[in-house]
Amino acid sequence: MTDHVTARETRLTSGATVVVAGNYDEMSILAAGIVARHIAEHPGTAITLPTGETPRGMYEALTGMIRGGELDFGTIEFFCLDDYLGKGINDETSLTAWLDKAFLTPAGVHGPNIHFVPTLADDPDAAAKAYEASIEALGGFQLAVLGLGPNGHIGFNEPGASIDSRTRVVDLTDESRTQNAAYYDSDQAIPDKAMTIGIGTLLNSPRIVLIVCGSSKAGILRDALQGPVTAEVPGSYLQTVGERLVVITDPEAASELVLD
Ligand code: GLP
């Protein structure tokens, strides 16, 4: 990865900061830097980070810092953001298994401070409430890093999700299932239900970082940041948090934003 950062920063009318990195690697390093600084400055707090193709580079950078002794991930409470109902870390097509392979195992950060979405619980609704309660018991998230789905979802809060939604079981759209099937070299079907941390839970965080890359996300990123605030694009709810939002993109994902 390069360490030559050429990012350009702009303030949107919503109050959010958009940082357009020179390329994917710089986006990843910037995002990892925010996470690392946060952990160093706010030990003991709860954070959530996303899965997907977008954050691979961020996790690679964090893994390097942890293995190099610059960052101790054991000092924070990390909550996984979302996963498929009925799939856990031992299912190769779960998001938790993805995270384990991409980050937890390479970085060696297993432990009681790593919280998995309780997708295998006998009573998933009660387990979702308990997951929410354990986040609340820690004072809510002090940092939430999010990706943006091609249909505007954040976590697995699909179009139609309410702004004050909490951790719960949700139905997945066919679009999201197709998108997620591409993560795995497997012909296993992606379930039609998932459990996700809610939008209300995420928006309460004093620092929210949205990372987005690639030209295929340019239109939905514009809709999320500069279109109407609507349940049809859950990412557009991020406009309501003002300057608590920092968006980090590569040039391709930012190409349809109107920036001064
Ligand atoms: C996935 C996950 C989200 C993720 C988003 C973007 O379905 N549920 O948490 O942020 O979609 O994924 P990607 O980065 O692969 O485009």
Side-chain angles (χ1 to χ4, degrees), residues 21-104:
N23 57 33
Y24 176 84
D25 284 355
E26 289 177 355
M27 179 199 80
S28 303
I29 289 166
L30 289 170
I34 290 177
V35 174
R37 269 194 305 282
H38 177 88
I39 292 174
E41 290 166 9
H42 303 89
T45 59
I47 76 169
T48 188
L49 307 176
T51 52
E53 287 308 314
T54 311
R56 275 190 191 280
M58 177 186 79
Y59 283 120
E60 196 184 311
L62 287 172
T63 299
M65 290 179 209
I66 291 166
R67 290 170 65 102
E70 301 155 50
L71 175 64
D72 181 0
F73 212 75
T75 61
I76 44 93
E77 298 293 328
F78 170 66
F79 288 78
C80 294
L81 180 59
D82 52 10
D83 209 341
Y84 309 110
L85 202 64
K87 291 204 180 234
I89 195 165
N90 294 322
D91 290 285
E92 60 171 331
T93 53
S94 72
L95 297 183
T96 309
W98 182 97
L99 185 77
D100 185 43
K101 201 168 155 194
F103 177 57
L104 300 178

Side-chain angles (χ1 to χ4, degrees), residues 50-55 81-82 95 147-149 153 155-156 179-180 183 217:
T51 52
E53 287 308 314
T54 311
L81 180 59
D82 52 10
L95 297 183
L148 185 68
H153 71 219
F156 266 140
Q179 173 219 348
N180 282 259
Y183 295 160
K217 297 278 180 71

Side-chain angles (χ1 to χ4, degrees), residues 224-245:
L225 298 183
Q226 296 183 312
V229 176
T230 166
E232 291 318 302
V233 181
S236 69
Y237 291 137
L238 294 168
Q239 292 179 42
T240 67
V241 306
E243 60 187 29
R244 289 188 284 129
L245 175 67

